[in-house]
Amino acid sequence: MFLKAKIEDLAGKRLDMSGAVLDLCDTAYADYLTTTFNTVKGLSHGGKLCTSVTLSLGFSPSIRKRIGDAYVKNDEAFAIRLGSKTTLYAVKPQGFIYAMATLLTLAEEGRLCEGFLYDRPVDDVRGYRGFLPPRDKMDHFKRVIDLLARYRYNRIILEVGGAMEYKRHPEINAKWREICQDVSAYSGRGNELQNSLGWHKNCFHCDNGGGDYLTQDEVRSLVAYCRSRGLEVIPECPTFSHCDYLVASHPEIAERNVELFPDPYPDTYCPHHPDTYRLVFDVLEEVIEVFEPQAIHIGHDEAYSVSICPQCRKTPAPRVYADDVWKIRDFLKERNLQVYMWGEKLLRAYINGWPIGGTGRKGHIPRLYPCRDMLPTDITYLHWYFEFGEDHDLVYHDRGMDVVYGNMNLLKIDHFVMRRQRGIHGGFVSNWGSYEEEYMQRNCQYFYLVSAAYAFWSENPDAMDRASLVDRVCRELYRLKHLVIRHPIKVIHTTTYTMPYKCFYDGVFVADEAYLMGHYELTYADGTTALLPVKYGTNIASDSLVGQPLSPERREVTYSTMAVKCRDRLAYQCEYENPYPDKTVLSIAYRPCDHFKEVPVALLSIDVGGPYIADSHTAVSADAGTAVVLYE
């Protein structure tokens, strides 16, 4: 298993759960547990029958003695006794999700055997951060939520912004739709808009709601789905900064006056305008009514336009920033809600001498880091400047602030255990793009999610060197991707072509004209043909990435492919679903797209997994002008 139990004692007697009955206790997670159990039954095979799987809330004295106090006292610990009558034990019902997910992995690996295993998370905050999904892509969103359950996450932050219906302020939704239509007009339009001004901004989250908005009932439904998978749902309502959804529909509250600063979509409000908090609190009230949350995330990241207007510039920028946080914090605390916010503006940080975070840049971005001595200590701060020095952690610790990681990338965090011991107790992987599979992969979301899960459930994630961690994550993701492929066509291929890595969000799209290199055309004996796409960054990448396991270019193709070394170059194994598995393959030809005609593709091997008339070396051909290289 990727998430290995702390102690695993599985005997050689394989269990057959195909006839088992699930004995559910009263739990809010019945849908997930039943669905996953049925999948386990479908995968189960072996000799010794398991007649029942029972959920038992709490640990019996014998179990408590066996696993020890550290596990007994952990609210999310679980244990599994596998045998003729299998029992899942959990301190709280959420632990049953983790236990059932463990059974699922064992079943997928053919390792359902008699024995005993147990586990507990080391970090109590194990979260994911993303947008509200578009209504026509809800299935993609739910698959991601199921993935979080599989890897035992317990929180999700969902940015609301303009992507939820506001019955008190429908003008917000109308303007939000207008903004997103403009930003999404073509790939890169968002960057043009935000870089065409004379000041710094970064605000276009057009993937939120797919550029549209969900009804309140649709939001309630997806929140319920998340909770059924054991996730606490934390709505993120960007306030102060990243407020284009509020300010563009109410330009009178913009910090940069629209007459003096011709920005069609201003993103920061003026906290001194008399109408600002009436609007902000109206929006927060509606979000609270729909989500019924325990906590709310108030944003406050990437604040660049501070103390600009005549009312605000009388007050130092750090005080303006802190006063806004206090005002919103007090409003939410009166409603017994925990407050989360981004924490980078508390930091005086640099990249190669270049000021970032709250450092400020004279004449461009105000210095905000002194706000750290003015802010509440009962907020949970998301720290996403962890890679710029461990001393930044102390900014929060020395002030008694609660802090977890945000934008979490395990590969960038040195000395994870030591930093955990100093007080950071978990984190959130962040998704700033789409939930569609290709975007999740190419934005490295699958990689970040699985690697972070490893850290959250490991006593010592530092014990594994990063190259070994990357290899382990890559193998797990490849296994996960290909669980659903029933009739695989296995290909190993590569190219000398190289494209730089980029992130696909804020109006940047995975365009076929930029990445689709061509297709493998399969011809079957009866004349039927099928096309298998060869797409750079999705299922093929450069052969020059050998020796670069930590590069984003390598991570980009992780999930769809498994990197394999061929001589001194790198190749990529991937699998396609054979659309006609019962037909005999006659030949395979590579057909390049017009704009990739001169780009060589090296096909090292192909296995169609079924009837095949010719061998691969004589059956593979290429259009004239395109090199398809076959290796002996």
Side-chain angles (χ1 to χ4, degrees):
M1 292 184 295
F2 179 79
L3 297 180
K4 292 184 177 179
K6 298 298 185 294
I7 292 181
E8 182 177 336
D9 179 19
L10 299 181
K13 297 180 180 178
R14 184 164 292 177
L15 296 176
D16 179 1
M17 288 191 171
S18 58
V21 176
L22 178 63
D23 181 12
L24 276 171
C25 62
D26 184 20
T27 173
Y29 311 128
D31 172 64
Y32 173 81
L33 295 171
T34 302
T35 301
T36 306
F37 175 68
N38 287 334
T39 303
V40 171
K41 288 179 65 172
L43 294 169
S44 177
H45 60 281
K48 192 166 184 177
L49 181 67
C50 174
T51 58
S52 66
V53 174
T54 302
L55 308 186
S56 177
L57 194 59
F59 294 138
S60 66
S62 62
I63 296 293
R64 296 166 74 92
K65 183 177 180 180
R66 185 166 187 175
I67 67 179
D69 286 346
Y71 292 83
V72 171
K73 294 177 181 179
N74 190 305
D75 284 348
E76 296 179 285
F78 69 89
I80 304 174
R81 189 192 298 277
L82 281 161
S84 58
K85 293 184 178 181
T86 291
T87 305
L88 311 185
Y89 301 90
V91 178
K92 290 186 176 180
Q94 198 168 346
F96 293 133
I97 290 179
Y98 312 145
M100 191 64 77
T102 303
L103 279 189
L104 175 62
T105 301
L106 289 171
E108 289 167 349
E109 296 176 347
R111 298 176 61 209
L112 281 171
C113 300
E114 289 185 308
F116 180 80
L117 62 149
Y118 58 96
D119 208 350
R120 59 158 185 170
V122 183
D123 296 298
D124 64 318
V125 175
R126 309 182 304 282
Y128 192 54
R129 182 258 171 233
F131 295 126
L132 290 178
R135 64 171 51 85
D136 62 343
K137 301 290 174 61
M138 196 66 70
D139 55 335
H140 295 282
F141 173 76
K142 289 182 176 180
R143 279 197 288 271
V144 172
I145 299 306
D146 288 348
L147 191 70
L148 297 179
R150 173 188 281 266
Y151 291 100
R152 311 177 193 168
Y153 279 74
N154 64 0
R155 286 168 173 81
I156 184 168
I157 295 171
L158 292 174
E159 182 173 325
V160 183
M164 183 192 82
E165 171 192 24
Y166 293 107
K167 295 183 178 180
R168 301 180 205 177
H169 292 281
E171 72 281 1
I172 291 175
N173 299 127
K175 194 65 178 181
W176 171 248
R177 184 182 280 167
E178 176 189 322
I179 293 172
C180 293
Q181 287 174 348
D182 187 1
V183 173
S184 303
Y186 50 84
S187 185
R189 169 65 174 159
N191 288 329
E192 287 180 5
L193 284 169
Q194 69 184 32
N195 295 327
S196 62
L197 306 169
W199 58 90
H200 203 72
K201 69 179 291 181
N202 182 358
C203 67
F204 296 119
H205 290 176
C206 58
D207 285 297
N208 196 13
D212 205 333
Y213 62 93
L214 301 175
T215 67
Q216 293 189 0
D217 284 342
E218 287 172 325
V219 173
R220 288 187 179 97
S221 178
L222 71 86
V223 168
Y225 190 87
C226 293
R227 288 180 177 147
S228 74
R229 269 58 183 165
L231 298 170
E232 177 191 342
V233 182
I234 303 166
E236 181 178 358
C237 301
T239 48
F240 194 72
S241 57
H242 277 293
C243 287
D244 48 342
Y245 72 106
L246 295 177
V247 184
S249 60
H250 289 271
E252 68 277 6
I253 69 170
E255 177 63 15
R256 291 185 180 273
N257 183 286
V258 292
E259 295 177 0
L260 298 177
F261 303 98
D263 183 352
Y265 310 125
D267 65 338
T268 307
Y269 60 62
C270 168
H272 289 103
H273 194 283
D275 294 333
T276 292
Y277 292 108
R278 281 198 288 268
L279 177 64
V280 170
F281 293 159
D282 268 359
V283 165
L284 288 172
E285 286 283 15
E286 275 199 81
V287 169
I288 293 168
E289 289 170 9
V290 173
F291 280 81
E292 299 180 339
Q294 299 175 42
I296 286 187
H297 191 306
I298 63 172
H300 281 74
D301 56 322
E302 298 175 327
Y304 303 122
S305 295
V306 186
S307 294
I308 301 295
C309 76
Q311 299 98 314
C312 290
R313 60 174 174 247
K314 300 173 185 176
T315 307
R319 173 52 63 189
V320 171
Y321 184 85
D323 286 349
D324 182 78
V325 172
W326 274 102
K327 189 177 290 287
I328 298 170
R329 174 263 183 208
D330 290 348
F331 175 84
L332 295 174
K333 287 292 182 179
E334 287 174 1
R335 288 151 182 80
N336 297 315
L337 294 168
Q338 175 61 24
V339 180
Y340 285 67
M341 66 175 277
W342 297 108
E344 95 279 7
K345 289 302 174 184
L346 285 67
L347 306 178
R348 192 177 189 182
Y350 297 86
I351 302 178
N352 298 323
W354 186 254
I356 56 173
T359 309
R361 299 175 207 163
K362 190 173 182 180
H364 293 277
I365 300 173
R367 186 184 68 157
L368 288 179
Y369 74 86
C371 74
R372 61 199 186 190
D373 293 314
M374 308 173 189
L375 290 171
T377 58
D378 59 357
I379 286 176
T380 298
Y381 293 90
L382 271 66
H383 173 28
W384 56 285
Y385 275 29
F386 44 79
E387 64 182 284
F388 304 126
E390 296 166 11
D391 56 311
H392 293 312
D393 300 14
L394 300 178
V395 169
Y396 309 100
H397 297 324
D398 290 349
R399 290 162 177 78
M401 294 172 167
D402 185 49
V403 58
V404 296
Y405 290 126
N407 289 335
M408 185 169 166
N409 174 1
L410 185 60
L411 296 182
K412 297 286 185 73
I413 304 175
D414 293 321
H415 308 125
F416 191 94
V417 174
M418 180 270 287
R419 298 168 87 162
R420 173 193 278 160
Q421 291 169 346
R422 290 198 307 196
I424 293 180
H425 55 107
F428 289 84
V429 172
S430 296
N431 184 2
W432 302 97
S434 169
Y435 296 106
E436 294 177 67
E437 184 175 271
E438 187 172 21
Y439 284 81
M440 288 285 293
Q441 175 190 305
R442 297 190 65 173
N443 286 332
C444 301
Q445 289 298 298
Y446 295 129
F447 185 93
Y448 296 149
L449 274 172
V450 173
S451 58
Y454 167 75
F456 293 148
W457 286 79
S458 173
E459 296 282 357
N460 185 14
D462 298 328
M464 186 180 295
D465 67 84
R466 289 179 178 173
S468 299
L469 174 65
V470 169
D471 180 69
R472 183 172 176 179
V473 172
C474 289
R475 292 181 184 280
E476 170 67 6
L477 288 174
Y478 190 75
R479 180 193 75 84
L480 187 70
K481 162 70 175 175
H482 297 91
L483 283 172
V484 298
I485 295 180
R486 296 289 174 258
H487 306 286
I489 294 176
K490 298 181 181 180
V491 168
I492 299 178
H493 57 183
T494 191
T495 179
T496 57
Y497 188 67
T498 299
M499 295 185 72
Y501 177 76
K502 66 167 61 175
C503 297
F504 298 99
Y505 48 74
D506 290 355
V508 179
F509 312 120
V510 181
D512 277 356
E513 59 268 22
Y515 298 101
L516 185 62
M517 301 175 69
H519 297 83
Y520 296 124
E521 182 181 66
L522 272 64
T523 300
Y524 296 84
D526 65 355
T528 303
T529 61
L531 295 177
L532 310 178
V534 179
K535 196 169 185 180
Y536 193 95
T538 299
N539 58 19
I540 192 170
S542 172
D543 65 353
S544 65
L545 295 175
V546 66
Q548 302 178 47
L550 306 184
S551 68
E553 290 82 4
R554 280 280 297 273
R555 293 200 301 273
E556 180 179 25
V557 289
T558 295
Y559 183 64
S560 284
T561 76
M562 173 64 68
V564 294
K565 194 172 181 182
C566 177
R567 300 175 186 170
D568 61 344
R569 314 303 286 171
L570 206 65
Y572 304 89
Q573 177 178 310
C574 66
E575 297 181 18
Y576 300 92
E577 182 72 49
N578 188 343
Y580 306 109
D582 297 328
K583 296 185 178 184
T584 300
V585 175
L586 182 63
S587 65
I588 304 158
Y590 176 68
R591 307 297 188 196
C593 295
D594 289 343
H595 48 291
F596 281 101
K597 272 192 174 291
E598 305 304 318
V599 174
V601 169
L603 180 61
L604 278 64
S605 71
I606 186 165
D607 179 358
V608 300
Y612 192 20
I613 290 179
D615 73 43
S616 61
H617 287 265
T618 58
V620 179
S621 64
D623 285 351
T626 303
V628 174
V629 183
L630 296 174
Y631 291 91
E632 297 292 345

